[in-house]
Amino acid sequence: MGILRDIDETQAPLMEHLVELRGRLLRSVLVLAVAFGVCFYFADDILAFLARPLAEAFPEGKGRLVYTRLYEVFFVELKVALFAAFCVSFPVIANQLWAFVAPGLYAREKKAFLPFLIATPVLFTAGASLAYFVVMPTAFRFFLGFQGEAAGLPIEALPSAGDYLSLVMQFILAFGISFLLPVLLLLLERAGIVSRASLAKIRRYVIVGVVAVAAVVTPPDPGSQLILAGPLYLLFEGSLLLMLILERRERGKESSEPETTTSA
C-alpha cells in the first residue's frame, strides 16, 4: 500500500505539470493565432516594408517583383504574416516558457538565467536590424550589378515574390540567430561545459569557424559574408570579456565572505 501511495503522489505532481504545460502552450498558440490574423490583415504593408531594400537597390522606377504561379503571392503573404506574427508574439511565448520553468529553479538560478532571457530578443533584433538596414541593401546592389547585355541580349533581374521573401528571411534569420552567440557561450560557461580559458586557446579556430558559418548562412557574395563574420567575431571577444568580468566579480564575493564571517 505504501508503494502505491508513493506512486500516486509522484503521478499527481506530474499531471499538474502536464496540465500547466498544456495551458501555457494553448495561451502561446492563441496569442500566435491572434497575431497571425492581425499580421495577415497588414500583410501587404509588411511585404512592402520587406521589399524596400530591393526597391531602393534598383534604379528609380525600374524595379519590380513578379510571380509565375497564380497562388504564389497568396502563400507569400501567408509566410509574411506567420513570420511577423512569431516575431510579435515571441515576448509572450518566452514569458509563458519562463513562467513554467521558473518555479523549479532556485533563486540564484533564476537570477543567472533571467538576463539571458532578456538578452535573446535584444540580440536577435540587433542582428536582424543589421541584415535589413546594412547587409540586404549592399547585397542587392551587388547582385543587380550583374544586369547588362550579352551578345545583344539584355540581362535583366526579374526576382519572383516567393524567391525574394525566402532570401529576406534567410538574411534576417541568419543574422538574428548568429547574434545569439554570446547567449550560447555564456550558458555553456555557466553549465561548466566550456571555460573562458579554453575558448581563448582556440581563438584561431573560432576565426575559421566564424568565416565558415558566415559563408554557409549568407548568400554567396563576399560583402554580406564579411559583414556577418566581423560582428560575430566581435561578439565572441565580447563574450570572453564578459566572462572575465563575471569571474572577477565572483572572486570578489568569495574573498569578502570569510571577512564578513570573521567580523561577525
Side-chain angles (χ1 to χ4, degrees):
M1 293 296 291
I3 296 175
L4 293 176
R5 192 184 304 114
D6 292 339
I7 293 174
D8 292 337
E9 289 176 355
T10 55
Q11 286 180 343
L14 177 61
M15 291 302 299
E16 292 176 2
H17 288 312
L18 290 176
V19 170
E20 182 185 1
L21 178 61
R22 184 186 65 178
R24 298 198 179 280
L25 287 175
L26 287 175
R27 290 191 200 103
S28 300
V29 171
L30 179 61
V31 170
L32 182 62
V34 172
F36 173 77
V38 174
C39 291
F40 186 71
Y41 181 79
F42 294 101
D44 289 336
D45 298 321
I46 299 172
L47 183 58
F49 175 77
L50 295 176
R52 189 174 301 165
L54 179 63
E56 293 176 353
F58 270 109
E60 187 174 355
K62 291 188 177 181
R64 57 176 171 169
L65 287 173
V66 301
Y67 65 99
T68 57
R69 290 166 292 184
L70 292 177
Y71 53 83
E72 183 175 353
V73 176
F74 172 72
F75 282 103
V76 165
E77 293 193 349
L78 282 179
K79 292 177 183 178
V80 165
L82 184 60
F83 182 68
F86 182 77
C87 293
V88 170
S89 59
F90 178 79
V92 178
I93 296 173
N95 181 66
Q96 291 297 316
L97 176 63
W98 173 253
F100 178 73
V101 174
L105 301 176
Y106 293 107
R108 186 175 180 181
E109 291 174 338
K110 291 180 184 177
K111 188 177 179 180
F113 185 73
L114 189 57
F116 297 112
L117 190 64
I118 298 172
T120 297
V122 173
L123 289 172
F124 184 90
T125 303
S129 299
L130 178 65
Y132 181 83
F133 291 106
V134 178
V135 180
M136 286 164 53
T138 303
F140 294 158
R141 283 193 293 268
F142 173 80
F143 292 142
L144 292 177
F146 291 97
Q147 294 186 108
E149 191 175 296
L153 299 175
I155 300 176
E156 185 179 0
L158 295 174
S160 70
D163 291 340
Y164 176 73
L165 178 63
S166 298
L167 183 62
V168 168
M169 292 177 64
Q170 180 183 349
F171 270 118
I172 292 176
L173 290 175
F175 277 77
I177 294 174
S178 297
F179 267 55
L180 299 181
L181 178 65
V183 175
L184 175 62
L185 292 179
L186 288 169
L187 282 175
L188 292 175
E189 192 264 344
R190 287 289 175 180
I193 299 175
V194 299
S195 65
R196 185 186 62 84
S198 63
L199 290 173
K201 289 180 180 178
I202 61 170
R203 184 178 276 111
R204 67 183 67 180
Y205 302 107
V206 170
I207 296 174
V208 176
V210 162
V211 173
V213 169
V216 170
V217 302
T218 59
D221 71 288
S224 59
Q225 293 171 6
L226 290 175
I227 293 174
L228 177 59
L232 267 182
Y233 182 70
L234 292 178
L235 287 171
F236 171 76
E237 292 293 343
S239 302
L240 295 184
L241 179 60
L242 186 56
M243 289 178 189
L244 179 61
I245 293 172
L246 293 175
E247 285 179 7
R248 289 180 176 176
R249 183 180 299 177
E250 290 177 358
R251 289 173 188 167
K253 289 181 180 179
E254 290 175 359
S255 61
S256 63
E257 284 178 359
E259 296 176 4
T260 305
T261 306
T262 305
S263 60

